[in-house]
Amino acid sequence: MSSSASTSQPVLRISTVQGVPDILRELGQDPSHVIEDLEFEPTLFDNPDNRITLAERGRLLERCAKVSGCPHFGLLIGQQDGLDQLGIVGLLARHAPDVGTALQRLIRHFHLQAQGVEIGLAVDRGRALFSYSIAEEGVTGLDQVGDGAVAAQFNIMHELCGPDFKALAAWFVRTAPKNLKPYRDFFQIRLQFDASIYGLEFSSSWLTRRLPSTDEALAQLIVEKLSVLESQTAEDLSENVRRLMQTALAFNHVDAHQIASMLGLHVRTYHRRLHSDGTNHRELLDQTRMALAFRLLEYSSKDIAEISSLLGYAEARSFIRAFKRWTATTPARWRRHQTV
């Protein structure tokens, strides 16, 4: 663990950024200088199970992009990532019967790989969105982290589906960078910047693709191991709902019946369990919209009307009223304050 890591902060395995030293060297930089400047332990990158906080990872990628003069450093890191970097969770996905099951396994157990990070899957009229978001507020380097996450998702889908996999679009919350060539060269698909969430869009038909190397006996052993690990952490229904809502908003599938169905619950059971947790569907949707509104206002260049639509409001006035209720100011004033 890094020297500044705290058990109260969300942490993740170093595996997904373990290639940092090698890429820095390829770009003519000495990684030891970056590690020392950020006050990380010299041995941080030696073991993929070492932990780093979300804030530290963001600072790391942001610093690497600056010292290397490579604004797409996060993209380079993500190009090296795939199922292997997800440890036992990635191994379980490899032994799923089909791609859809593999992704659901990743989503179900991803919190063991990274805290404060949420992945999801939404399906609508033949399209699927494999999404990624950071639940923690105030994390720096989100552009770098998001670029790397979508690249890793692209690799994961190729690993699961095979070399003939074709995606439809790569989604980025960030505004379009000045140099699009590294993104075009890697993805070779439509690039959608100023999106509501980071993710990879593809035909939902890929979800039924059978995996060639399924070993259900091994998968069962892995599930038993994960059950032991997960017994140490209580499952939070409200957090699961917020995670689903972030992805489902991309297709405006966020009414109670739709979210309950995604969780495999009858809508009455869904409402009852939320009530026992001291919350309700409308309150969680409000919280999800608020978090996404802050992210879109700060990191995207979309106007207020576009953001209102992305958040599922019928008109901009409804979004503005909600934003005033959250912050006592308007979205436009809040955005101007962030850029001061």
Side-chain angles (χ1 to χ4, degrees):
M1 185 177 288
S2 72
S3 59
S4 61
S6 167
T7 55
S8 63
Q9 297 175 295
V11 297
L12 62 155
R13 295 172 70 242
I14 198 67
S15 59
T16 55
V17 289
Q18 205 170 5
V20 161
D22 288 340
I23 292 180
L24 282 173
R25 292 188 191 98
E26 291 173 7
L27 296 173
Q29 301 298 318
D30 185 344
S32 65
H33 292 163
V34 175
I35 293 171
E36 182 178 347
D37 288 346
L38 293 173
E39 299 183 345
F40 291 161
E41 295 289 346
T43 59
L44 178 62
F45 294 94
D46 293 351
N47 185 333
D49 285 324
N50 285 341
R51 302 280 164 159
I52 188 172
T53 70
L54 287 179
E56 288 170 336
R57 180 185 61 172
R59 290 200 303 271
L60 170 66
L61 294 181
E62 195 169 59
R63 183 59 179 270
C64 288
K66 182 177 181 180
V67 301
S68 67
C70 178
H72 58 278
F73 191 91
L75 180 68
L76 297 181
I77 289 294
Q79 289 174 11
Q80 296 188 344
D81 288 347
L83 291 174
D84 286 347
Q85 281 65 44
L86 300 182
I88 190 172
V89 178
L91 184 61
L92 178 62
R94 284 189 188 281
H95 292 284
D98 54 57
V99 173
T101 304
L103 293 183
Q104 291 297 343
R105 288 177 176 180
L106 287 179
I107 293 165
R108 172 67 182 83
H109 302 290
F110 194 73
H111 66 98
L112 297 175
Q113 164 73 22
Q115 300 169 3
V117 175
E118 299 169 344
I119 61 174
L121 181 68
V123 179
D124 178 67
R125 290 176 292 185
R127 298 179 301 151
L129 178 67
F130 184 20
S131 68
Y132 176 96
S133 64
I134 298 236
E136 196 76 3
E137 295 297 326
V139 176
T140 61
L142 285 183
D143 287 354
Q144 299 294 330
V145 172
D147 288 354
V150 180
Q153 290 179 321
F154 190 74
N155 288 340
I156 287 170
M157 289 303 297
H158 272 280
E159 289 181 69
L160 294 173
C161 298
D164 59 334
F165 171 71
K166 300 293 183 184
L168 299 174
W171 290 29
F172 303 88
V173 175
R174 63 171 299 169
T175 56
K178 293 180 180 179
N179 182 11
L180 287 173
K181 187 176 186 302
Y183 299 81
R184 288 172 175 158
D185 288 348
F186 177 70
F187 291 105
Q188 298 183 26
I189 55 175
R190 180 168 56 88
L191 304 173
Q192 182 172 324
F193 293 96
D194 290 321
S196 60
I197 200 166
Y198 284 97
L200 190 70
E201 181 186 352
F202 52 90
S203 169
S204 59
S205 62
W206 290 105
L207 297 175
T208 60
R209 172 68 67 97
R210 302 292 296 179
L211 269 60
S213 57
T214 299
D215 185 336
E216 281 303 317
L218 176 58
Q220 185 56 42
L221 290 175
I222 297 171
V223 168
E224 291 173 7
K225 172 65 174 176
L226 290 174
S227 296
V228 173
L229 294 174
E230 295 198 328
S231 66
Q232 302 167 8
T233 58
E235 184 174 358
D236 190 324
L237 177 62
S238 297
E239 285 302 315
N240 286 342
V241 170
R242 278 189 286 261
R243 183 193 70 233
L244 285 172
M245 285 177 170
Q246 287 200 57
T247 305
L249 271 169
F251 296 140
N252 200 25
H253 284 180
V254 288
D255 71 31
H257 286 84
Q258 290 164 327
I259 297 297
S261 177
M262 292 179 196
L263 291 166
L265 299 174
H266 189 280
V267 68
R268 287 197 296 270
T269 303
Y270 169 69
H271 284 307
R272 185 171 62 250
R273 287 185 58 182
L274 288 181
H275 179 73
S276 67
D277 284 350
T279 187
N280 57 64
H281 177 85
R282 179 174 293 182
E283 184 175 291
L284 293 179
L285 179 56
D286 199 50
Q287 292 170 4
T288 303
R289 282 172 163 165
M290 179 173 66
L292 285 175
F294 291 156
R295 199 166 301 157
L296 289 167
L297 287 167
E298 185 169 1
Y299 295 105
S300 83
S301 60
K302 287 192 177 297
D303 62 31
I304 303 304
E306 290 174 309
I307 292 175
S308 170
S309 177
L310 286 172
L311 296 178
Y313 289 98
E315 55 184 9
R317 285 182 298 178
S318 299
F319 168 51
I320 293 171
R321 283 197 300 270
F323 199 89
K324 284 183 176 180
R325 174 166 49 82
W326 300 330
T327 65
T329 189
T330 66
R333 290 196 190 100
W334 189 91
R335 172 179 265 172
R336 285 196 297 270
H337 180 73
Q338 303 310 304
T339 59
V340 172

